[in-house]
Amino acid sequence: MLKFAGFGFAVAALGVISVAAFSAWYLHRLGQDLPDYQQLAEYAPPVTTRVYAGDGSLVAEFARERRLFVPIESMPDHVKYAFVSAEDKSFYEHTGIDMRGIVRAQLSNIGNVMSGRRLEGGSTITQQVAKNFLLTSEQKVERKLREMMIARKMERAFTKDHILELYLNEIYLGNRSYGVAAAALNYFDKALTDLTIAEASYLAAITKGPSNYHPIDHEERAVERRNYVITRLNEDGVITDEEAQDAKSQPLGAVIAPPLGARDWTMEYFAEEVRKQIVDLYGVEALYDGGLSVRTSVDPEMQKEAGEALRKWLVEYDQRHGWRGPLSEIDVGGDWAETLDAEVERLRDARKVTDDMAPWRAAVVLSVSDADARIGFPDGEEAFIPVDLLWWAREYISANDMGDAVNAPGDVLTPGEVVYVEKYEPATMPKKDPDAEGEGRATPENAYALRQAPAVNGGLIAMDPHTGRVLAMVGGFSFQMSEFNRAVQAERQPGSTFKPFVYAVALDSGYNPSSIVLDAPFVAPSLDSWYKPGNYIEGRHYGPSTLRLGIEQSRNTMTARLAQDLGIGRILDYVNRFNLSEDLPRELAISLGAGETTLTRITAGYSVFVNGGKSVEPVLIDRIQDRTGKTIYKRDQRECAACNAQYWSEQSEPQLADTRAQVMDPRTAYQITSILEGVVIRGTAARTVGGKSNKPLAGKTGTTNDYKDAWFVGFSPDLAAGVYVGFDMPQTLGQGEAGGTVAAPIFADFMVDALEEEAGIPFRVPSGIRLVRVNARTGRPAGPGDSNVILEAFKPDDQPGADRTSDDFSLDPLSAAPTTNDAPDDGLNGLY
């Protein structure tokens, strides 16, 4: 028996030694290819690039992982300890591994296996850092052992605070949030330092599974888990009983953050343009992972006003031309709400229904009667469209033709049609005859108006004319439907908005605003035929007219005759200073806007008129800082050593150099400004712009052949803005749909809102300008009894009322004849 016992003991001892030897060998092998944990000493995670407006508000975020890095020293104690209490209460005591936690987890796993739930690992915060940074999430014994080995090494290499900093900046907390700082913003729109105990506890509560504690889908479960963390904080002595009770009484208050990108629909085109510029400057990696801080020029309030003005008047134009039909059709039998919900998702994929169209909603027509159409929404809610809100919806036939008048909803809608609708808020309904006396009937409850996304599109841009800083940019009706930015990318003929540049050449070449040019039928040679422009009213001419009237009334034939006198070569040389286009055609038709430009370029060109003749370059980005706060890009490169003085010792105010190029005589610039102000007061924009604002405004309408493009570009003393409206595939807007009808109202609405709080200062008059009372029609000095009198701007050598003679120029009238762009310069301004 002793021999048998001795043999058994020897075998057991040998087994123990073998297991120990195998374990040592196995652990040694695992330790040979452990990831390099030392890299965590210089932790630089991918961080969100944030784009800010000029007032510091957030415009957009760009990232692959939404994360903001915050040093542990800047984190409030109640945030740090919320996670410690929830995840690893002995974090500051153990050396990387908590054996009691492991045993507790294995006991819990007995029940987890039986119920099919996910297994627990009993990992400490240090182990989680090792797994998240250096290993995978696979549930294998080998991975767990490697995790434990790395955790022990990390505990010896790093401080506890450094490990906790890694954990709190890396952990995924749902809602596209990586790290606690991003989660604080995404769930509560707060900085970490502003989180309450209850809010910090919720963030700590969702580490086990963010989707399980979704603040909207599982609010009750989320509150219960949050309160559990609050209890743990209290038990660990981090907060008092009173603080715990108060925190538990708070509502959850968490929300779901908007997607990455622009934070508001009005900002989407602007944010996308900024995104492109950052990529051009620093590349894709810097944009999405670099944690850049980008300060832009945009004014959020002005941007909102621009977006709303453009949308309002595009819808107004669209409704003038009738109803083009529903988005789609479905079967409204059975569970129509479920069918509609699936159809709306299909329409989203096709970019026909988008989130940025809110408050418009997709609905299905359930039934129609003589009085209204009953509609339903994907959530099962029902409402109706009164016939009073359908008067506009005559059938669209063409840009110039519509179907019969609407007498009943059935003339427009059919059950099963999916359409856009909007809650109708006004107190009274529109009248079928707008000119009829009295008001429409009272708006019934739960009434919706029929809507359709306009087929036409457009853009609006506003900038500081003195610096070129873009204050608002809207590139279309809906970014989510079409990302094409019509304010920047659309190259179209500007029509009559080009005329002020031609007249500026004349004013710098011996003409003055009262100079007379003949408005009469005009013919000139063209490349392959004869060029015969006409006025807006075909066959109508006005005889001898002043230069001022040529712009105010947008006279085509007199502009072409003026351009012929000046010579196309002279005009092109002058206009190229304004950077309107890379390649303007060398032909007389450019005087009426036959060349192509973009809305941004021509608005910057108009800025030169109001800023005293200085060239400006449109800019969107003022400054860029890297993740450490170092400025790596600055728009304004001017140096100002005196600006950094720490004390005032009666020194004079620092003066910054004006580095803008002078591209035209400031006196000429003011003369054009004064004439363009006349366009708004007496000319083609008097009704649509001048009649809506009591602030000094100037500008010019523009319309191209067959009414394909409508423009208005103008300015106040300190704000320039341009509007373009047209179809992406050029086609007529319809008879009479000119710049003054289609684009000018958008400009007027925007400027009225943008300048509401601004003082109505007059346009600045430069030195060297004489203001003389003249007859507005003849341009001659006004007599005592004249009623149609204006103050005209003259240079010192100008003679009010004096006729030009042929001796003023030695130009051949055929100098306007075009040549090809590569023709040799013969010094004759394009003469054949």
Side-chain angles (χ1 to χ4, degrees), residues 103-165:
V103 172
R104 184 170 59 250
Q106 301 318 307
L107 293 175
S108 298
N109 282 339
I110 298 174
N112 292 338
V113 170
M114 297 178 65
S115 61
R117 293 195 298 269
R118 182 182 176 88
L119 300 180
E120 297 179 21
S123 296
T124 63
I125 285 177
T126 311
Q127 287 176 262
Q128 292 184 54
V129 170
K131 179 186 71 175
N132 293 340
F133 282 89
L134 305 172
L135 302 170
T136 67
S137 296
E138 59 181 350
Q139 292 186 319
K140 291 184 178 180
V141 172
E142 181 176 313
R143 196 274 299 164
K144 192 69 176 177
L145 291 173
R146 287 160 65 87
E147 173 189 296
M148 296 169 70
M149 295 173 71
I150 295 172
R152 292 297 299 271
K153 291 177 179 292
M154 286 174 56
E155 289 277 350
R156 291 193 290 269
F158 306 135
T159 66
K160 287 286 187 179
D161 277 351
H162 183 68
I163 294 171
L164 188 59
E165 178 181 87

Side-chain angles (χ1 to χ4, degrees), residues 9 26 123 137 240 264 345 390 498 525 557 620 637 673 687 691:
F9 179 79
Y26 182 68
S123 296
S137 296
T240 64
D264 180 76
E345 288 306 311
L390 293 170
F498 188 84
T557 54
L620 281 68
Q637 297 292 332
T673 296
R687 180 175 58 85

Side-chain angles (χ1 to χ4, degrees), residues 171-189:
I171 188 171
Y172 178 64
L173 294 170
N175 198 7
R176 300 175 292 276
S177 308
Y178 290 82
V180 291
L185 284 170
N186 290 350
Y187 284 107
F188 300 107
D189 195 25

Side-chain angles (χ1 to χ4, degrees), residues 80-117:
K80 293 185 290 187
Y81 284 107
F83 284 86
V84 170
S85 294
E87 289 294 298
D88 187 2
K89 64 179 297 182
S90 59
F91 171 71
Y92 284 102
E93 285 79 44
H94 64 65
T95 57
I97 301 172
D98 182 4
M99 296 308 300
R100 286 181 298 177
I102 294 175
V103 172
R104 184 170 59 250
Q106 301 318 307
L107 293 175
S108 298
N109 282 339
I110 298 174
N112 292 338
V113 170
M114 297 178 65
S115 61
R117 293 195 298 269

